[in-house]
Amino acid sequence: MKVYQCDQCEYASVSNKYRCPSCGTGNLQEQDVSSKGTVYSYTDIHIAPAEFAHLAPYTVALIQLDESKAKVTVRTDGNVQIGDVAELDYVEDGAYIYRKC
Amino acid sequence: MTNVYIEGIGMTKFGKFVDKSMKQLLVEASIEALENAGNPKVDAVFVGNFMGGSIGNQEILGALVANELGLGYIPTAKVEGACASGGIALRQGIMGILSGEYDTVLIAGVEKMKHASTADVTQAINAAMDNDSNEKQAGLTFPGFFGVLANRYFYETDATKEHLAMIALKNRENALHNPLAQFQKPTTMEEIMEARIITSPLGLFDCSPTTDGAAALVITRKKGAIHIRSSAQSSGPTQMQDADDLLSLPAVRESGRLAYEKAGVGPEDIDVVEIHDCFSMTEMLAIEELGFFNKREGWLAVEQGRTTATGDKPVNTSGGLLSRGHPIGATGVAQMYQLVQQLRGTAPNQVEHARLALAQNLGGTGSYSTVHILERL
Ligand SMILES: [Zn+2]
């Protein structure tokens, strides 16, 4: 999992930015970290836009990564609860698909 | 402090109007606002609108209004800021008067959504998300964002789905007294709790509807009874995964802080509030972010009835987006319509002796927020 870590402060994100939005002065440096993390929160989506309707109901979760301050939004394979440990299973059409460990 | 006053207000009924065009709705609300203001000369028009182009194939809304009303060859523009389009349009008008360029500005907001299929509307609304992201590709939706927030809120506090239902019920009960509101059928806690799930834990009543409707305001530098004490706007993260604190909406917090600072008042001074309750959960977070209640304690205030029309901090006496309806571009302007009526003493669910009023309008999943503070002179 790629994350972008500020070289001046604690800020980290899974997406790069021109400048650190937290301290305003630091630059974000690309890092490779483990995809493993903990479910921070989630929702089971029953009503989906057309392009995801064939998947509904499906679960989208926000994962707090173990090795970074960054969080990442993923789709999970099956239901999850807050606190569940999960990791990347595969990437599909730009989406991270996670499964419980 | 601004030197801008609201002189006139107008609003169509909110609901489903298949036989009326977007232009007709806009013109109807605008004429009412102009008449209410005593038909002053208008120097500029700003129209808030989000999806007129994508699902109505109609743009140039500013020029349409100027032409239909015969306002002359004045400058006009459409302003887009997702669900905050109306609030930002108002702010652009205020900026135009503050700059010295205009004396009097017509602000209108409109949306027409009911003619389109659910799939088309959902697709159009998704334009307010960051579509070039792994988050959108994961299948996160607009309601889904607030579902994720709600589950975390329940985890960190003793709040439950019932507290969200209390918000939905309150706003529905307020709408019952508002003749312009979309929903005027009473409901119950049971019906709200048992309604079908849209995105857990949010059910049908936790989500604002699609709506046709328009609202308009005439603002001017000429001193009047309703003073715009301050106008503030902020941006926030465009992706959930970039939230520093998931249970915070930084754009709401920051626009509120700026509005209080400019107005020289605090949350304790505000008598009546219109908040952007696109979802019941959004109202929960916004009442905390605007400083009315402590962080993670909004649910207690809801439980104690403090945000009802007769509570000490009445929120969404119009019925809010949940029950007055949410014609996206019109919402920020419709909030002002209700607050001006509150300050004039003619509102549905009138709050006694209301003197200071606050409106907060949100765009995207926390991408934009405006806050305006009004004062009765
Ligand atoms: Zn930094």
Side-chain angles (χ1 to χ4, degrees):
Chain A
M1 178 75 56
K2 273 191 181 30
V3 298
Y4 299 86
Q5 172 68 51
C6 179
D7 57 11
Q8 303 282 324
C9 76
E10 299 271 275
Y11 182 87
S13 169
V14 291
S15 62
N16 202 0
K17 314 269 189 278
Y18 174 58
R19 180 190 288 156
C20 172
S22 183
C23 65
T25 54
N27 290 307
L28 302 187
Q29 308 288 339
E30 189 176 307
Q31 280 182 357
D32 266 312
V33 297
S34 160
S35 70
K36 216 167 162 189
T38 307
V39 174
Y40 190 79
S41 194
Y42 68 96
T43 187
D44 301 321
I45 296 179
H46 293 254
I47 306 294
E51 60 188 305
F52 298 106
H54 63 286
L55 297 170
Y58 59 90
T59 302
V60 171
L62 185 63
I63 305 289
Q64 173 62 63
L65 295 174
D66 282 353
E67 294 181 4
S68 167
K69 199 167 173 275
K71 296 188 184 79
V72 56
T73 301
V74 307
R75 190 160 69 238
T76 62
D77 195 2
N79 292 339
V80 294
Q81 294 296 320
I82 292 175
D84 284 349
V85 176
E87 66 184 358
L88 182 66
D89 193 0
Y90 56 96
V91 178
E92 185 180 78
D93 297 332
Y96 297 116
I97 312 299
Y98 267 54
R99 60 176 162 79
K100 280 198 268 189
C101 295
Chain B
M1 293 267 235
T2 80
N3 61 343
V4 184
Y5 302 83
I6 299 180
E7 205 172 25
I9 57 174
M11 179 172 151
T12 67
K13 166 112 175 114
F14 280 10
K16 181 177 184 177
F17 302 107
V18 279
D19 53 343
K20 282 187 186 173
S21 69
M22 190 161 60
K23 184 172 82 176
Q24 283 174 302
L25 292 167
L26 254 183
V27 165
E28 189 181 321
S30 298
I31 289 176
E32 191 184 323
L34 285 173
E35 285 178 347
N36 191 245
N39 286 306
K41 178 180 170 294
V42 172
D43 302 316
V45 179
F46 291 97
V47 178
N49 177 254
F50 177 53
M51 49 174 66
S54 57
I55 65 167
N57 196 33
Q58 181 66 69
E59 297 282 8
I60 61 161
L61 300 181
L64 284 180
V65 170
N67 274 276
E68 290 294 316
L69 300 181
L71 299 179
Y73 302 140
I74 59 172
T76 66
K78 179 196 87 169
V79 176
E80 186 281 313
C83 311
S85 299
I88 300 175
L90 168 60
R91 185 172 155 78
Q92 291 307 304
I94 294 169
M95 294 296 116
I97 292 175
L98 287 178
S99 76
E101 183 79 2
Y102 311 129
D103 289 331
T104 300
V105 177
L106 173 65
I107 310 296
V110 68
E111 212 70 61
K112 199 164 153 52
M113 309 167 72
K114 284 295 200 185
H115 65 286
S117 70
T118 305
D120 286 349
V121 171
T122 310
Q123 184 73 14
I125 291 175
N126 269 8
M129 295 181 72
D130 181 348
N131 287 324
D132 177 17
S133 70
N134 63 291
E135 182 162 296
K136 188 260 173 180
Q137 292 304 111
L140 184 66
T141 59
F142 233 83
F145 171 79
F146 290 99
V148 175
L149 265 55
N151 274 328
R152 185 70 197 182
Y153 192 83
F154 295 171
Y155 180 79
E156 291 195 25
T157 68
D158 288 331
T160 65
K161 185 173 159 67
E162 272 192 52
H163 293 93
L164 298 183
M166 287 175 200
I167 290 174
L169 182 63
K170 165 185 72 75
N171 291 350
R172 176 60 61 92
E173 284 174 348
N174 287 343
L176 298 181
H177 304 286
N178 181 356
L180 297 182
Q182 181 169 4
F183 292 122
Q184 296 188 308
K185 192 167 133 275
T187 183
T188 61
M189 280 296 279
E190 294 66 41
E191 190 182 14
I192 295 171
M193 291 293 288
E194 283 160 21
R196 73 188 165 107
I197 294 293
I198 303 296
T199 182
S200 67
L202 307 181
L204 187 63
F205 287 80
D206 293 302
C207 306
S208 53
T210 57
T211 309
D212 298 335
L217 306 169
V218 174
I219 61 172
T220 176
R221 71 169 73 244
K222 195 185 93 194
K223 195 165 178 181
I226 309 294
H227 179 208
I228 302 176
R229 227 177 132 98
S230 67
S231 168
Q233 184 184 344
S234 299
S235 301
T238 53
Q239 293 184 36
M240 176 173 78
Q241 61 197 2
D242 276 346
D244 192 34
D245 170 5
L246 186 66
L247 298 185
S248 177
L249 295 167
V252 177
R253 188 179 61 231
E254 180 64 6
S255 56
R257 188 189 67 74
L258 288 168
Y260 291 133
E261 188 180 291
K262 289 169 189 231
V265 301
E268 65 283 0
D269 300 316
I270 304 296
D271 300 312
V272 59
V273 185
E274 287 288 309
I275 267 179
H276 195 93
D277 58 326
C278 47
F279 300 93
S280 52
M281 187 60 212
T282 327
E283 179 167 321
M284 186 74 89
L285 288 181
I287 58 176
E288 297 179 358
E289 294 288 35
L290 293 169
F292 298 129
F293 308 106
N294 291 334
K295 286 294 295 172
R296 283 131 170 100
E297 290 181 7
W299 63 279
L300 276 170
V302 168
E303 191 177 278
Q304 292 160 359
R306 296 181 64 186
T307 57
T308 62
T310 53
D312 65 307
K313 201 59 77 179
V315 174
N316 287 329
T317 59
S318 65
L321 283 60
L322 289 174
S323 278
R324 177 194 56 217
H326 183 28
I328 295 177
T331 285
V333 184
Q335 291 179 323
M336 307 306 285
Y337 180 90
Q338 175 71 7
L339 292 183
V340 169
Q341 287 201 95
Q342 282 286 0
L343 298 182
R344 287 177 175 175
T346 58
N349 304 297
Q350 179 65 45
V351 172
E352 272 183 58
H353 312 301
R355 191 181 71 83
L356 280 173
L358 180 148
Q360 182 267 320
N361 190 198
L362 186 73
T365 51
S367 299
Y368 298 107
S369 176
T370 62
V371 172
H372 289 91
I373 296 178
L374 305 184
E375 175 188 26
R376 172 172 49 82
L377 295 182

